[in-house]
Amino acid sequence: MSWSDPSRRFEPAEDLQLRAEMSELLGFEPAPRSETEPTNELVALAEELRKEALRRKRLERRRPSWGMLAAAVLPLAVAAAGLGVWGQGNRAKAEALATAAAQKTQELEQKLQAHKTELAQERATREQLTKVLAQADRKGRKSPYLVIPADPVQGPGQDQLRVNAKPR
């Protein structure tokens, strides 16, 4: 019961007397003397209570404030370290991918340059051929277009059957 509790004003007289005796035995403020003297049992009980209170006070475990702070910061530090390790791993992967992409780009540029050179050579060859054909046309009056000879188209061979053919 709190000392400021208003219901304490209406405490029974026996409780008030017991409280006064206990506070006197424990060494608190002197209470007015009651008409009865404390018995040996009450004195022994008060002494045991005082000893128990002192024992508990000595055994009370007090945590330092820096320990609580370290306990609160530890998960954050572990998370930050984990993110750092993860970031370094991803950075290494990104650098490897960037290097591979640069090499591929360089290879494609080289292939493109080779293809452009090949196309330029084909154009030059075609222009030379056109000039030669034009000169031959003037001399032999042939067509200015390049004609590729082809085999004449033949009908279906002996080993082929028509789909709509009647069975024999």
Side-chain angles (χ1 to χ4, degrees), residues 48-104:
E48 284 182 34
L49 287 174
R50 187 180 64 77
K51 285 180 182 177
E52 181 65 20
L54 285 175
R55 185 186 70 80
R56 286 187 182 187
K57 185 177 179 182
R58 276 186 249 135
L59 292 178
E60 184 178 291
R61 183 176 169 201
R62 295 183 185 174
R63 291 185 175 178
S65 59
W66 59 268
M68 294 295 284
L69 180 63
V73 171
L74 184 64
L76 296 175
V78 169
L83 285 175
V85 168
W86 177 78
Q88 288 295 330
N90 280 348
R91 180 180 177 196
K93 287 178 186 177
E95 288 175 355
L97 287 175
T99 305
Q103 288 175 352
K104 275 288 193 195

Side-chain angles (χ1 to χ4, degrees), residues 1-11 16 19 29:
M1 183 182 293
S2 174
W3 65 272
S4 62
D5 194 352
S7 64
R8 195 169 218 191
R9 286 181 273 166
F10 306 109
E11 235 176 348
L16 288 173
R19 189 180 312 283
E29 62 185 49

Side-chain angles (χ1 to χ4, degrees), residues 4 17 29 31 34 38 41 62 64 78 83 93 107-108 115 117 138 141 156:
S4 62
Q17 184 180 4
E29 62 185 49
S34 63
E41 292 174 2
R62 295 183 185 174
V78 169
L83 285 175
K93 287 178 186 177
E107 288 174 11
L108 289 176
H115 188 65
T117 306
R138 284 187 211 141
R141 301 280 178 209

Side-chain angles (χ1 to χ4, degrees), residues 17-32:
Q17 184 180 4
L18 181 62
R19 189 180 312 283
E21 286 177 13
M22 292 302 279
S23 64
E24 183 181 331
L25 289 174
L26 290 174
F28 293 123
E29 62 185 49

Side-chain angles (χ1 to χ4, degrees), residues 112-130:
L112 180 64
Q113 189 64 31
H115 188 65
K116 283 182 179 179
T117 306
E118 185 179 315
L119 285 176
Q121 288 174 354
E122 282 183 21
R123 277 191 199 127
T125 306
R126 192 176 309 142
E127 288 175 6
Q128 287 177 352
L129 185 59
T130 307

